[in-house]
Amino acid sequence: MSDSPSNRELQKELIKDFIIESSEGLDFFDNELLTFETEGDLEQMNNVFRIIHTIKGTAGCLGLNNIEKIAHSGENLLSQLRDGKIQVNQEMVTSLLNLSDVLKESIQTLERTGSDSGNKHCSILEKMEGLLARNPEDSEQAKMEDPGWGLFDEESEEEKHASAKGEDQEDDGDSAAIENSTTEEENLASLLAAGKTNLAESTIRVDVSQLDKVMNMVGELVLARNQIVVNTTNRDEAALLTASQRLNIITTELQESVMKTRMQPIGNVFRKFPKIVRDVANELGKEVQLTMDGHETELDRTIIEAIKDPLTHIVRNAIDHGIETPDDRVVASKAKEGKLSLGAYHEGGQIVIEITDDGKGIDIEKVRETASQKGIINSSQAGSMSEKEVINLVFQPGFSTAGKVSNVSGRGVGMDVVKTNIEKTGGSIDVSTNSGLGTTIKIKIPLTLAIIPALIVTSADERFAIPQISLLELVRLEGEQAKEGIEMLYGSPVHRLRGKLLPLVYLNHELQISSPKKELESDEDTVVNIVVLQADGRQFGLVVDAINDTEEIVVKPLGKQLKGISSFAGATIMGDGKVALILDVLGIALRASVVTESRTLTSASEAEKTETESDTMQTLLLFTVGEDRRMAIPLSEAARLEKFSSEQIEYTGEQKVVQYRDDIMPLFDVEELVLDRKQISDSKQNDTLEVVVYSQAGRNYGLIVGSIKDIVYESASISYQSDRMGVLGSIVVQGKVTDLLSVSQIVEQHSIPESNALAS
Amino acid sequence: MKQFCTFFLDDMLFGVDVLEVQEVILYQEMTCVPLAPMSVQGLINLRGQIVTAIDLRERMGLAPRDIEEDPKNIVVQTEDGAVSLLVDEIGDVIEPDEDSFEAAPETLTDIARHMVDGVYKLDGRLLIILNVRATLDLNQAVSSEWIQN
């Protein structure tokens, strides 16, 4: 159990907590016990009992046998007292206080040496037993009569001293011995001893609001620092410059330290998951084994609050949709018990939380289908979307693939809320899935919300801050490039960034602020600054007048009067004391319709569309028909590629059909229709048929082709026009003449009567 | 006895309960907020606190300021933090006679009835008491745009 490093870390943490809690508890214990002695209130006795009981329990869990034994002896006596079986007397109180002292000593020893010192407290144990034994009813609890109990009162002080002294001496021996013994204890000892200071005394409880206040003040200080630094760099006074540099460094350190005080281990959130997992698994009749890692990873408390619910939702989802029932798992030759793991770690100034299950994964086809059924995407989009994009559809509002609504999840609200909440903290969420093997959800969140790194840009002489988290890269176009780099596509400016079209958004246009400079220098020496941003998985370029610098900014909320403007996430105070607005990248993207409100468009389909429109390059699906005829269709026309065995083909009238996705799909044989060959060779009849599925107006049509050859990105400019029906013309692909087909023409020409018949 | 911090818009005398006023400051440099409602003039940095400045003329449906002089800020405290009201000129703190108070007459325009609590009849002039809450609630139907039309 204690072999893995993380477990050892955890053990150390727990022991630290135990030391702090027990020390506090024992102080309380003494007080309550004394009050009980004078007032005899049972409530106090209950408190006393509870404290000892807790110490005993925790010590037992942590394997601190000595402390457990001492606490246990006290607990026995206290339970008798509490239940009124024996009457309290001064002697008992004294020895109970002694017990408390002995416990405190043991705990101190534990803290100093990291070891739960051996069985050296026989005297107090005997005393406790002796006190119990005097009560005839409980004689069975007494193992032996303490011969010296009569002298107890006189001896107690001396004994205590003696034991304390002995303790100290033994401690030294102990720690030496420990160092030679197990590495675990050594680590613990060094960890705890390294602090030197007493843990219980070195921690205090602080009101959270007090910390928030300090944090705010540090925020102010950061701003004042920024102003000082800006104003002093332009001066020649060396002394002032040095002072401002020191101020700069100290402020940064202070900011970091204060931020640390607000940090809480993510274990605070993780702690509740074992129960949730157990409950949900029970409810659904599943068996789930939960492993958690990275408890100690620390996060700002505001963020901890913000991710609590999203995490819970994801965990529930993983059990509900991800992990299969034990029977299904056995069929899939997996262990009966599903595995769910939660992990948290730091990565590049961010916290990454990973939730992994080894369930059935996300069924991409099912997602595709559901999304087009629910109208989140249209069928042609469904065909052309990449797996990654399809998976991301689960974050769309109103999306749920669960067959039925269960108590646990599947109400169609959830993942979109999860995404929104995580994005609100400035984080991002990513899903990857391996069909049949499981799903991993990766959440990235910033360490803190209050102070964030931002890029400062200027547009129309106003400064704006862009949170770096949404920043991908900066592009600067000069002179000729500036003119040629921006192309117009139906009135929308785009820029080709490494061959991909990047939609451009002019910040001044979006914010309706005029940019006088721009118009003046439109012809000469134009410089275009593009800030490439990411919002909701889509990239776009924000054109600004100038890119200034990166700066740590303190996020301040906007007043109620400005809450309605989605383009701004807040405001901040710049080094010169002026206020600058913080752009809400998603809000700007929505406003500029880069990301549509319904979020239906995805980058690939959009990019493909724009590419085919912008020039003649397009992606073609190559296939052969008959023996050697090469043909191609634009890939965008193919919704899916399927294989059917010839046995699956049925007829309605003359029309070949196949049952496909709970529907009847008419099939067209390209060889028959386009090449007008009625004779189909026998050999082909027996083969599996390669079918290109084409979707139009919610109906699927199948195109039987010979065999699929390749997908190429080629110029589709037709070099030889054809008057054959369904053939757009001929092009040269890979050095060979290829017929470019128009699926829509073929379908239109051949299917309308049939499809009407089918529809009716 | 209530005390009012008074100020001028054109030659009208307005008053706000002193208890609602945080401070009165001179004109501050402002950052304008694109896409904001017309009456939001901008954001000011008030000792590290970001305060929204409302152009009270615009808000009250008065003609735009034509005086050379910069407007003054009356910073009022609300539940949602401080907000600054831009006014032409600051007046004295007045402690009017309670008996001289009268609700706003029915004949006042819609905006006025909404944002005016009432009037104190002072010697020789009227003190119009502003309802800060209604004034700052820009979502209310009273919008200067349609008043001016």
Side-chain angles (χ1 to χ4, degrees):
Chain A
M1 172 198 142
S2 50
D3 284 336
S4 79
S6 65
N7 265 340
R8 214 176 294 150
E9 282 293 320
L10 183 64
Q11 173 93 352
K12 278 185 211 166
E13 277 304 312
L14 289 173
I15 288 181
K16 241 184 182 174
D17 289 346
F18 169 72
I19 291 169
I20 295 165
E21 273 169 23
S22 305
S23 308
E24 279 174 8
L26 286 170
D27 287 340
F28 190 54
F29 174 94
D30 294 353
N31 276 330
E32 289 292 278
L33 194 63
L34 292 171
T35 334
F36 174 72
E37 192 185 15
T38 50
E39 289 173 16
D41 188 344
L42 219 60
E43 183 54 36
Q44 277 131 14
M45 181 41 74
N46 274 332
N47 286 340
V48 168
F49 178 76
R50 220 175 289 134
I51 291 163
I52 287 293
H53 181 75
T54 310
I55 293 178
K56 183 196 102 172
T58 321
C61 288
L62 295 171
L64 307 168
N65 295 329
N66 184 39
I67 294 174
E68 184 192 7
K69 212 183 278 172
I70 302 167
H72 179 72
S73 70
E75 190 191 6
N76 278 341
L77 180 64
L78 284 165
S79 74
Q80 299 286 330
L81 279 170
R82 188 184 59 165
D83 299 345
K85 287 186 180 154
I86 44 178
Q87 281 303 307
V88 71
N89 58 31
Q90 201 198 346
E91 181 191 334
M92 277 181 196
V93 172
T94 316
S95 51
L96 279 171
L97 288 174
N98 267 346
L99 178 92
S100 155
D101 289 339
V102 171
L103 277 175
K104 275 182 210 162
E105 270 168 34
S106 300
I107 286 163
Q108 273 164 20
T109 314
L110 173 69
E111 191 185 338
R112 270 203 313 277
T113 66
S115 137
D116 179 26
S117 50
N119 190 5
K120 301 180 305 276
H121 300 290
C122 308
S123 52
I124 191 82
L125 292 179
E126 280 162 14
K127 235 180 279 168
M128 285 296 152
E129 277 166 11
L131 284 167
L132 264 177
R134 270 196 293 171
N135 193 333
E137 288 166 45
D138 298 293
S139 54
E140 82 275 1
Q141 292 217 18
K143 289 192 187 91
M144 62 175 213
E145 194 84 13
D146 181 4
W149 66 264
L151 302 167
F152 174 79
D153 281 346
E154 292 83 349
E155 268 184 16
S156 64
E157 275 304 294
E158 279 176 46
E159 251 178 29
K160 210 181 94 188
H161 280 295
S163 79
K165 261 185 214 155
E167 175 92 14
D168 283 342
Q169 283 154 11
E170 273 159 339
D171 282 348
D172 298 336
D174 269 355
S175 44
I178 287 157
E179 270 159 41
N180 299 329
S181 60
T182 66
T183 49
E184 188 194 343
E185 278 186 338
E186 198 179 299
N187 284 342
L188 192 53
S190 62
L191 175 99
L192 294 171
K196 285 276 192 291
T197 44
N198 188 318
L199 272 182
E201 279 168 19
S202 69
T203 48
I204 50 164
R205 286 164 196 271
V206 181
D207 194 348
V208 166
S209 64
Q210 187 65 33
L211 277 184
D212 286 345
K213 217 186 268 173
V214 173
M215 187 66 207
N216 281 340
M217 262 142 56
V218 169
E220 301 304 328
L221 185 64
V222 168
L223 294 177
R225 183 269 317 260
N226 290 352
Q227 293 176 22
I228 298 260
V229 169
V230 164
N231 289 321
T232 49
T233 38
N234 306 327
R235 293 181 182 226
D236 279 343
E237 290 163 63
L240 188 63
L241 220 64
T242 327
S244 102
Q245 271 164 6
R246 270 204 58 67
L247 176 72
N248 191 354
I249 294 162
I250 294 169
T251 312
T252 310
E253 275 172 21
L254 180 66
Q255 181 193 329
E256 276 165 15
S257 310
V258 172
M259 225 119 87
K260 267 193 198 131
T261 63
R262 288 159 49 98
M263 294 294 194
Q264 281 184 335
I266 200 163
N268 291 359
V269 183
F270 279 10
R271 209 177 290 150
K272 63 173 189 168
F273 283 124
K275 184 169 178 298
I276 292 174
V277 168
R278 194 177 166 279
D279 289 352
V280 176
N282 274 348
E283 201 178 315
L284 296 165
K286 295 179 180 181
E287 290 176 27
V288 182
Q289 188 199 347
L290 175 72
T291 51
M292 297 188 286
D293 210 6
H295 291 260
E296 70 287 344
T297 310
E298 287 188 323
L299 275 177
D300 195 281
R301 47 173 291 276
T302 46
I303 294 184
I304 294 241
E305 283 301 312
I307 60 164
K308 229 182 227 173
D309 290 341
L311 270 186
T312 312
H313 193 91
I314 292 170
V315 166
R316 285 165 159 271
N317 251 350
I319 301 168
D320 194 6
H321 300 315
I323 289 170
E324 312 92 326
T325 57
D327 295 347
D328 287 351
R329 289 183 66 87
V330 170
V331 172
S333 56
K334 293 187 197 175
K336 245 174 128 182
E337 213 180 23
K339 281 202 184 79
L340 180 66
S341 70
L342 281 174
Y345 54 92
H346 284 265
E347 190 186 80
Q350 282 183 311
I351 299 284
V352 181
I353 304 173
E354 274 182 351
I355 303 106
T356 308
D357 68 63
D358 69 342
K360 57 176 179 278
I362 297 172
D363 185 342
I364 302 206
E365 290 320 312
K366 207 167 153 197
V367 172
R368 216 191 281 269
E369 235 170 89
T370 317
S372 56
Q373 267 170 24
K374 297 199 171 178
I376 295 170
I377 50 168
N378 64 40
S379 46
S380 68
Q381 282 172 339
S384 59
M385 281 169 90
S386 71
E387 276 196 15
K388 187 98 206 154
E389 288 168 324
V390 173
I391 292 172
N392 279 326
L393 289 175
V394 302
F395 295 117
Q396 297 297 325
F399 184 89
S400 172
T401 49
K404 59 180 183 351
V405 171
S406 74
N407 213 359
V408 179
S409 54
R411 284 173 299 264
V413 291
M415 286 313 267
D416 63 311
V417 179
V418 166
K419 190 181 164 89
T420 323
N421 280 347
I422 285 170
E423 282 176 351
K424 253 189 226 158
T425 68
S428 62
I429 183 165
D430 185 53
V431 185
S432 57
T433 188
N434 219 330
S435 185
L437 295 175
T439 307
T440 298
I441 294 181
K442 209 172 180 183
I443 300 172
K444 285 188 184 176
I445 31 182
L447 285 170
T448 180
L449 292 179
I451 300 176
I452 58 165
L455 179 78
I456 312 298
V457 300
T458 308
S459 185
D461 292 330
E462 292 283 346
R463 276 174 304 177
F464 298 94
I466 302 172
Q468 288 218 347
I469 191 136
S470 22
L471 183 66
L472 292 177
E473 60 181 300
L474 301 175
V475 177
R476 183 178 165 91
L477 304 176
E478 283 174 341
E480 282 299 296
Q481 267 188 314
K483 273 179 230 158
E484 287 164 11
I486 297 177
E487 294 165 78
M488 295 306 275
L489 184 63
Y490 283 102
S492 317
V494 292
H495 171 65
R496 287 192 220 181
L497 184 64
R498 289 185 290 275
K500 284 205 150 196
L501 288 186
L502 182 74
L504 295 182
V505 175
Y506 285 85
L507 186 57
N508 53 340
H509 291 186
E510 281 320 313
L511 300 182
Q512 297 165 12
I513 44 179
S514 56
S515 188
K517 256 205 275 176
K518 264 224 116 63
E519 276 123 51
L520 286 176
E521 55 178 0
S522 56
D523 271 326
E524 76 238 24
D525 284 350
T526 336
V527 174
V528 179
N529 288 299
I530 303 171
V531 183
V532 184
L533 298 171
Q534 178 146 10
D536 203 23
R538 295 283 311 273
Q539 293 184 11
F540 69 100
L542 191 68
V543 180
V544 298
D545 292 351
I547 289 161
N548 303 9
D549 205 356
T550 58
E551 204 169 298
E552 297 268 301
I553 58 163
V554 181
V555 181
K556 307 218 169 211
L558 290 173
K560 191 180 72 178
Q561 292 80 10
L562 301 170
K563 276 275 151 64
I565 311 171
S566 62
S567 304
F568 304 117
T572 189
I573 295 171
M574 304 298 301
D576 61 4
K578 278 186 74 177
V579 178
L581 289 157
I582 303 167
L583 296 182
D584 183 329
V585 173
L586 186 59
I588 298 259
L590 282 172
R591 202 183 150 78
S593 312
V594 174
V595 179
T596 46
E597 192 79 64
S598 52
R599 301 195 209 158
T600 54
L601 289 173
T602 58
S603 52
S605 56
E606 175 81 339
E608 247 166 48
K609 217 190 285 167
T610 49
E611 269 165 25
T612 47
E613 283 160 357
S614 69
D615 59 36
T616 56
M617 295 296 279
Q618 57 175 308
T619 311
L620 299 174
L621 178 71
L622 290 186
F623 53 87
T624 59
V625 172
E627 302 294 322
D628 53 358
R629 293 295 293 271
R630 289 166 60 93
M631 298 198 170
I633 60 165
L635 187 64
S636 53
E637 294 207 26
R640 301 181 45 73
L641 304 177
E642 292 284 5
K643 280 183 185 169
F644 296 109
S645 78
S646 44
E647 293 142 50
Q648 282 177 280
I649 295 185
E650 293 169 77
Y651 284 88
T652 155
E654 291 279 304
Q655 179 65 52
K656 273 185 193 159
V657 295
V658 67
Q659 293 182 30
Y660 182 63
R661 296 190 182 186
D662 304 323
D663 204 343
I664 300 171
M665 177 168 77
L667 293 176
F668 305 106
D669 194 326
V670 178
E671 191 172 1
E672 267 181 65
L673 296 174
V674 179
L675 300 183
D676 216 2
R677 288 183 200 163
K678 289 285 178 214
Q679 291 302 317
I680 298 160
S681 57
D682 282 349
S683 63
K684 195 187 166 190
Q685 291 265 289
N686 300 328
D687 284 347
T688 52
L689 300 177
E690 301 243 31
V691 173
V692 176
V693 179
Y694 169 75
S695 287
Q696 191 184 47
R699 283 201 61 92
N700 291 321
Y701 304 92
L703 220 60
I704 304 172
V705 300
S707 64
I708 305 284
K709 287 294 175 202
D710 205 352
I711 292 173
V712 291
Y713 185 64
E714 278 277 10
S715 163
S717 52
I718 292 164
S719 34
Y720 177 73
Q721 292 284 344
S722 167
D723 52 7
R724 272 178 300 162
M725 200 273 309
V727 180
L728 290 170
S730 299
I731 54 175
V732 180
V733 176
Q734 294 173 337
K736 291 190 177 164
V737 173
T738 305
D739 285 346
L740 185 63
L741 301 187
S742 161
V743 189
S744 51
Q745 245 184 58
I746 294 173
V747 169
E748 263 167 46
Q749 293 291 329
H750 294 274
S751 71
I752 286 158
E754 281 93 347
S755 75
N756 282 347
L758 284 169
S760 65
Chain B
M1 287 282 262
K2 270 188 174 176
Q3 290 187 317
F4 293 94
C5 172
T6 65
F7 57 88
F8 293 89
L9 290 178
D10 282 346
D11 50 0
M12 287 189 279
L13 181 68
F14 287 86
V16 182
D17 192 334
V18 279
L19 297 177
E20 289 183 278
V21 176
Q22 175 185 306
E23 58 191 301
V24 173
I25 49 173
L26 294 177
Y27 179 74
Q28 302 279 308
E29 210 173 339
M30 249 175 262
T31 301
C32 75
V33 185
L35 313 175
M38 287 287 277
S39 23
V40 175
Q41 184 87 3
L43 299 173
I44 56 174
N45 169 13
L46 183 64
R47 295 186 301 279
Q49 200 184 1
I50 292 178
V51 174
T52 312
I54 305 284
D55 183 355
L56 204 54
R57 280 178 155 272
E58 172 71 37
R59 180 69 184 131
M60 301 292 289
L62 303 175
R65 191 170 286 106
D66 54 359
I67 344 166
E68 288 283 293
E69 227 171 307
D70 283 329
K72 313 285 185 294
N73 292 284
I74 294 187
V75 182
V76 291
Q77 204 46 263
T78 73
E79 302 126 56
D80 309 297
V83 179
S84 166
L85 299 173
L86 293 176
V87 301
D88 290 356
E89 197 51 65
I90 308 287
D92 299 325
V93 172
I94 295 181
E95 202 176 306
D97 189 355
E98 299 257 355
D99 297 337
S100 67
F101 184 76
E102 207 169 298
E106 300 293 312
T107 49
L108 246 66
T109 56
D110 266 349
I111 6 145
R113 254 215 311 280
H114 217 98
M115 292 185 274
V116 169
D117 272 347
V119 176
Y120 280 98
K121 294 160 284 181
L122 306 181
D123 281 343
R125 73 180 316 152
L126 295 174
L127 172 65
I128 308 165
I129 302 304
L130 203 66
N131 181 332
V132 174
R133 186 188 282 261
T135 308
L136 296 182
D137 189 359
L138 301 185
N139 293 325
Q140 287 219 347
V142 191
S143 125
S144 55
E145 275 105 300
W146 65 259
I147 287 157
Q148 280 171 338
N149 290 339

